[in-house]
Amino acid sequence: MTAPDPDGLLAEQLLRLTRRVHRIQKRYLERRELGITPAQSRLLRTLAHYSSPPRMADLAERLEVVPRAVTTLVDGLEAHGKVRRVPDPANRRVIRIELTDEGREALRELRAARRAAAAEILAPLGEREREQLGELLNTLVDGPAGPPCEERPGGGPGPVEG
């Protein structure tokens, strides 16, 4: 009989929770009939963080995807009137992507869908439990970053010396 693997169990629980969050968000998005995929919604949310329209390369870097993937996402969003391509005023060969009024309205709908999904998922937790979960998630998200999948002498992840 093998010993229980608590880290493996936690990893599986995190993956299952992530899948559940995506499923619930998708359901709320479909109800609102926005015609936006989860990847497109991520691009819209990312666009909203820029003070001026970014280049496609900037979006690709921020989203950690290849530029071609951003082109495909922008094509779909542009076809639905959520974003538009605009020439850079300083260099007309450079194209920037900006939100349209429809895109800003879609973002409001997306935020409402995310809040509704979060409320559904967090419903079983009390206020203190939510605070604790938030603190724990912040620790995991913002924690120390080391090279992934490397082994330390103690058996856990850690940097590699070379």
Side-chain angles (χ1 to χ4, degrees):
M1 181 178 230
T2 61
D5 178 9
D7 289 341
L9 176 60
L10 284 173
E12 181 61 29
Q13 288 172 313
L14 286 171
L15 288 171
R16 288 176 49 213
L17 178 60
T18 300
R19 287 186 203 114
R20 183 169 180 231
V21 168
H22 285 133
R23 262 193 327 271
I24 292 171
Q25 278 185 310
K26 185 177 178 184
R27 188 177 73 230
Y28 278 99
L29 288 176
E30 288 169 355
R31 282 183 192 163
R32 292 174 184 272
E33 298 179 7
L34 293 175
I36 294 174
T37 67
Q40 289 172 332
S41 72
R42 185 170 172 233
L43 187 135
L44 285 176
R45 289 191 318 270
T46 301
L47 262 176
H49 290 288
Y50 284 92
S51 57
S52 62
R55 299 173 306 137
M56 294 246 235
D58 299 328
L59 288 168
E61 183 178 325
R62 189 101 171 255
L63 293 168
E64 297 178 346
V65 298
V66 295
R68 178 70 191 126
V70 172
T71 301
T72 302
L73 293 172
V74 168
D75 288 347
L77 288 168
E78 189 175 39
H80 288 96
K82 309 293 190 240
V83 301
R84 70 177 143 252
R85 290 172 164 92
V86 295
D88 184 307
N91 181 351
R92 297 188 66 76
R93 292 176 293 173
V94 174
I95 300 297
R96 296 191 174 266
I97 308 304
E98 71 179 7
L99 282 170
T100 62
D101 289 340
E102 268 189 66
R104 281 185 273 286
E105 178 57 33
L107 266 175
R108 283 189 282 280
E109 292 282 332
L110 289 167
R111 287 182 183 125
R114 289 179 81 198
R115 281 191 301 276
E120 181 177 329
I121 289 167
L122 297 172
L125 302 180
E127 186 177 334
R128 181 63 194 137
E129 291 168 315
R130 289 178 187 211
E131 288 173 16
Q132 289 173 329
L133 177 61
E135 291 168 9
L136 291 169
L137 290 173
N138 282 336
T139 299
L140 294 175
V141 170
D142 301 332
C149 300
E150 306 294 339
E151 291 293 322
R152 279 190 287 193
V160 171
E161 315 208 319

